[in-house]
Amino acid sequence: MTERFDAIIVGTGQAAKPLAGAFAKAGKKTASIEAKHVGGTCVNEGCTPTKTMVASGRVAYLARRGAEYGVNTGPISVDLATVRQRKRDVVESFRSGNVKRLTGENLELIYGFSDFIGPKTLHIALRDGGSRTLQADWIFLNTGLTAAIPPVPGLLDIPFLTNESIMELGAVPDHLLIIGGGYVGLEFGQMFRRFGSHVTVIHTGHQLLDHEDPDIADEVQKILTEDGIEVLLEAHTLAAGSAQNGKDVQLTVRVGSETRTITGSHILVAAGRTPNTTALNLPATGVGVDEHGYIKVNEYLETGVPGIYAIGDVKGGPAFTHISYDDYRIIQANLLHGERRSTKDRILPYTVFIDPQLGRIGLTETEARKQGLKIRVAKMPMSSVARAIETAETRGFMKIVVDSDSEQILGAAVLGIEGGEIATIVQIAMEGKLKYTALRDGIFSHPTLAESLNNVFFSWTDER
């Protein structure tokens, strides 16, 4: 028997959850389908648990530095089981809150696995047994991503960790080998180094964080190296296997012309993400995907099939919670309020939660020069920021790209203490189309990190 709904939302990530509530509030009979845990990647395997554990790592880091501040702490050890339980408790509190928001009038939360059996018809294999068939004129796909497993010979024959399973370890690894030098690899690498692991990062690119300016990537590498992390660039993993002792694991890696065998206790695969689209049986709908399996959408998040939309990470593009949430706002505005909002020209902020943070907004210097823009670049080390000096957190620098003619800010990178917060101030100026002089001449409380925005614009890389 086919059940009719006004809207069906597959997945309960950061776009789906508020969207389900909005449709229900508007009087639309709505079904929210979840295969695993309510809240999507962010709440369960991404932002919430990782940043909770990053916070534990930072406490360990500061405790070891206590003598610098005149505070004697004694030997430092990390109880990873307690770190894990703290993480689990925070995740459960977020998750249970999300479940409450998905129950109410006109809204049904269904746990099960979805696949299309017709253009607008879904078969749901219920998690507790049995099945249901649902149909709706509006269907929204918010199924997210999972860790991509690279085709390294031997990798599938040995134990390895992903971003999800590494957070369930009960003891600190002796030596963690990380395949991948992107956001995930670096956040976990620094975290576990602070917990006490030896860490080796193996990255195929010529720099860490491939999309950043070279000076930013170099400074990040310098910081991680200072923390005791081994970083191998232009390093290609050729094979994986068990060590001769039968306990450890090892990777065969080519670095330049040299081939090395690296032995460790654990391997973390952080080599990208892949969309959860295979099990949906999209051919039954006519919805198209690209060569990587991401659902194709236009700027209004519409697929090629009227009434079917893709929201969040599964559609490709920047895989960030705040982008997913903005997808919800676009759908809500267009379908419930008759507007015509789109993804076109929206500003993309993000923060890499290494320590110090890397806050990013707008164009990099490299991107601006590639576009042939006439720019000036303001750049200042965090060692020139009073608040950073006072807190003994002077690593990194600020970098802001300005249009030479309009004097408006095109982009910024803040690699420094609370870099994400400082970059957000710059973002607000950009959204208000303010000239950089508004920040240079603004009155900010002393001594705050925001005050650095007065001074950075006196430090141009092309002094005139």
Side-chain angles (χ1 to χ4, degrees):
M1 180 179 175
T2 300
E3 303 173 60
R4 287 285 308 177
F5 286 82
D6 295 312
I8 299 171
I9 306 173
V10 182
T12 57
Q14 297 306 297
K17 176 172 53 51
L19 186 61
F23 272 97
K25 187 176 180 181
K28 309 296 183 184
K29 184 181 178 183
T30 304
S32 183
I33 317 298
E34 175 53 51
K36 192 176 180 183
H37 297 306
V38 168
T41 296
C42 179
V43 167
N44 297 287
E45 297 98 28
C47 318
T48 298
T50 58
K51 279 47 177 183
T52 301
M53 294 182 72
V54 162
S56 294
R58 178 162 170 79
V59 171
Y61 168 71
L62 289 175
R64 291 190 183 96
R65 293 181 59 201
E68 296 179 37
Y69 299 87
V71 179
N72 297 316
T73 56
I76 302 299
S77 63
V78 172
D79 180 351
L80 195 60
T82 300
V83 173
R84 179 182 64 187
Q85 188 58 50
R86 176 175 175 270
K87 179 266 300 184
R88 287 175 175 174
D89 291 343
V90 172
V91 168
E92 180 54 37
S93 69
F94 279 41
R95 185 188 296 161
S96 59
N98 286 332
V99 169
K100 290 178 182 177
R101 294 185 186 97
L102 285 174
T103 55
E105 188 177 1
N106 298 318
L107 179 56
E108 182 180 3
L109 173 60
I110 302 170
Y111 288 100
F113 301 86
S114 306
D115 65 289
F116 283 95
I117 56 175
K120 295 287 186 71
T121 306
L122 282 163
H123 168 264
I124 314 298
L126 300 175
R127 202 165 69 182
D128 295 332
S131 65
R132 294 171 65 176
T133 301
L134 311 183
Q135 197 172 70
D137 291 328
W138 283 332
I139 296 179
F140 305 91
L141 304 176
N142 186 215
T143 52
L145 312 175
T146 52
I149 309 303
V152 175
L155 183 62
L156 296 179
D157 300 324
I158 60 173
F160 64 86
L161 301 164
T162 65
N163 66 294
E164 184 175 355
S165 58
I166 194 170
M167 292 188 289
E168 287 301 308
L169 292 177
V172 175
D174 178 53
H175 187 176
L176 179 63
L177 309 180
I178 301 178
I179 301 176
Y183 313 144
V184 174
L186 298 192
E187 288 183 14
F188 278 115
Q190 188 182 53
M191 177 200 305
F192 276 91
R193 177 62 187 148
R194 290 178 168 187
F195 288 158
S197 301
H198 296 285
V199 175
T200 300
V201 175
I202 301 157
H203 186 57
T204 57
H206 66 279
Q207 66 172 50
L208 298 173
L209 302 174
D210 296 331
H211 300 296
E212 302 297 335
D213 284 330
D215 57 348
I216 293 287
D218 289 346
E219 188 73 8
V220 168
Q221 183 175 348
K222 176 186 172 185
I223 288 167
L224 296 178
T225 301
E226 285 176 356
D227 286 354
I229 296 172
E230 180 184 21
V231 177
L232 303 179
L233 298 179
E234 297 185 278
H236 301 269
T237 304
L238 305 178
S242 299
Q244 288 185 347
N245 62 14
K247 176 184 175 184
D248 292 328
V249 289
Q250 61 185 25
L251 297 174
T252 302
V253 180
R254 186 179 70 243
V255 185
S257 60
E258 177 190 4
T259 298
R260 299 172 50 182
T261 298
I262 306 173
T263 301
S265 59
H266 297 71
I267 294 172
L268 168 64
V269 175
R273 310 277 286 169
T274 189
N276 296 320
T277 51
T278 303
L280 289 172
N281 189 29
L282 292 176
T285 70
V287 168
V289 298
D290 67 14
E291 66 272 23
H292 302 293
Y294 292 99
I295 297 175
K296 294 180 181 179
V297 296
N298 61 17
E299 64 185 279
Y300 304 105
L301 306 174
E302 300 164 334
T303 69
V305 178
I308 300 182
Y309 300 76
I311 50 181
D313 301 347
V314 75
K315 70 182 187 306
F320 297 112
T321 293
H322 42 283
I323 293 298
S324 184
Y325 187 78
D326 192 59
D327 288 351
Y328 142 69
R329 290 187 291 206
I330 290 171
I331 295 294
Q332 180 196 36
N334 294 349
L335 297 187
L336 295 181
H337 301 299
E339 299 179 28
R340 198 61 173 157
R341 290 184 54 175
S342 80
T343 61
K344 191 175 181 181
D345 298 328
R346 63 181 172 186
I347 291 181
L348 170 63
Y350 59 87
T351 300
V352 184
F353 285 88
I354 53 175
D355 185 15
Q357 296 172 9
L358 171 58
R360 282 279 299 110
I361 178 66
L363 296 177
T364 65
E365 179 184 359
T366 303
E367 290 168 339
R369 295 196 186 283
K370 253 183 204 179
Q371 293 181 23
L373 300 176
K374 188 179 176 183
I375 63 170
R376 298 186 73 195
V377 179
K379 188 173 178 180
M380 183 177 73
M382 295 302 293
S383 58
S384 295
V385 178
R387 184 63 176 166
I389 295 169
E390 292 156 1
T391 57
E393 297 282 357
T394 57
R395 300 197 292 182
F397 60 84
M398 307 172 61
K399 180 178 181 180
I400 302 181
V401 180
V402 175
D403 185 282
S404 297
D405 295 327
S406 70
E407 296 189 340
Q408 289 186 354
I409 299 169
L410 300 176
V414 184
L415 177 60
I417 177 175
E418 296 297 346
E421 304 293 345
I422 303 173
T424 299
I425 299 174
V426 179
Q427 177 184 346
I428 292 171
M430 292 172 64
E431 291 184 347
K433 299 191 182 304
L434 300 178
K435 294 183 177 183
Y436 78 87
T437 51
L439 295 180
R440 184 196 65 187
D441 301 335
I443 300 176
F444 301 109
S445 296
H446 174 79
T448 61
L449 292 169
E451 185 185 37
S452 62
L453 294 170
N454 288 156
N455 301 325
V456 65
F457 296 110
F458 293 102
S459 301
W460 299 98
T461 59
D462 58 337
E463 289 295 344
R464 295 179 181 176

